[in-house]
Amino acid sequence: MNTVEVADKKFELLIENDNINKRTRLIGIQMNVDYENRCPVFIGVLNGSFLFMADLLKEIEIPCEVGFIRVSSYKGTASTGTVRETFGLPDTLKDRDVILVEDIVDTGFTLKYILEKVHLQQPASVRVCTLLYKPDAIQTQIDELEYVGFEIPNEFVVGYGLDYNGLGRNLKDIYKAIP
């Protein structure tokens, strides 16, 4: 399927699931090396990261813990710039190695908000793993961005956990909006 329709928008194929799986496997291998003899806490940023997080964790062979946070700054296809936290971080991150797992980093505002909350708990280390990164959209420095699946253009995307007005998360590939 090279094009799909989600609600009132048309999208064309950007990244096939096979490529997502290969890249996720490589990131997992790197994390197993980087965190050898440690027990990191993976924190998925819901809702978008759930598929990527599940597939990534299947590649992790070291001991680890898993948690989730849910925040939102999107309405339709644009960021509102205001971050709403609907449920928060675990409060046991002091002296822990934390890996935040994101579906996409674009403006960086949501991630910056989460990172500030994480750093308040004085973790031993904090790294960010994102499936997608839009370097042309970033508006704030994210020093913790360590693991990036794919750099993509500043276009609206859907599929593999990413949605358009709540729809399209279940698509196995990633699609970009057709203008």
Side-chain angles (χ1 to χ4, degrees):
M1 228 181 347
N2 286 336
T3 62
V4 296
E5 196 166 318
V6 179
D8 60 348
K9 285 187 102 37
K10 289 190 185 313
F11 296 84
E12 64 186 4
L13 184 63
L14 180 65
I15 305 171
E16 291 182 351
N17 188 266
D18 283 351
N19 291 333
I20 296 168
N21 291 338
K22 287 175 188 164
R23 187 69 187 116
T24 302
R25 191 171 309 117
L26 290 173
I27 292 170
I29 289 167
Q30 185 63 52
M31 287 179 166
N32 287 325
V33 171
D34 292 350
Y35 289 88
E36 187 177 12
N37 300 319
R38 291 154 74 187
C39 181
V41 180
F42 286 84
I43 299 176
V45 181
L46 294 174
N47 286 336
S49 73
F50 75 102
L51 286 176
F52 177 50
M53 176 100 158
D55 288 344
L56 178 64
L57 287 171
K58 292 174 193 171
E59 303 298 334
I60 300 301
E61 297 171 354
I62 55 171
C64 65
E65 292 179 30
V66 177
F68 293 93
I69 182 172
R70 184 170 181 192
V71 296
S72 176
S73 68
Y74 264 78
K75 189 170 186 97
T77 61
S79 176
T80 62
T82 304
V83 179
R84 289 185 342 233
E85 187 172 334
T86 50
F87 68 84
L89 291 164
D91 57 3
T92 55
L93 301 179
K94 185 170 175 47
D95 299 325
R96 301 293 309 274
D97 295 306
V98 176
I99 302 170
L100 290 172
V101 180
E102 274 275 27
D103 55 348
I104 189 166
V105 175
D106 47 29
T107 63
F109 292 135
T110 301
L111 187 53
K112 195 72 159 176
Y113 172 88
I114 296 167
L115 285 165
E116 287 170 5
K117 296 278 189 181
V118 169
H119 283 296
L120 287 174
Q121 293 192 40
Q122 302 173 316
S125 70
V126 182
R127 294 290 173 261
V128 173
C129 173
T130 186
L131 176 62
L132 303 175
Y133 174 54
K134 295 181 181 179
D136 293 339
I138 200 79
Q139 295 182 33
T140 182
Q141 176 109 2
I142 307 290
D143 296 329
E144 297 87 348
L145 189 57
E146 181 78 18
Y147 306 97
V148 175
F150 301 92
E151 285 191 10
I152 63 169
N154 190 11
E155 299 178 278
F156 188 78
V157 290
V158 70
Y160 195 73
L162 296 113
D163 75 304
Y164 170 56
N165 287 340
L167 301 172
R169 291 188 195 279
N170 58 313
L171 297 168
K172 69 178 188 153
D173 303 308
I174 295 174
Y175 296 82
K176 66 179 182 174
I178 299 173

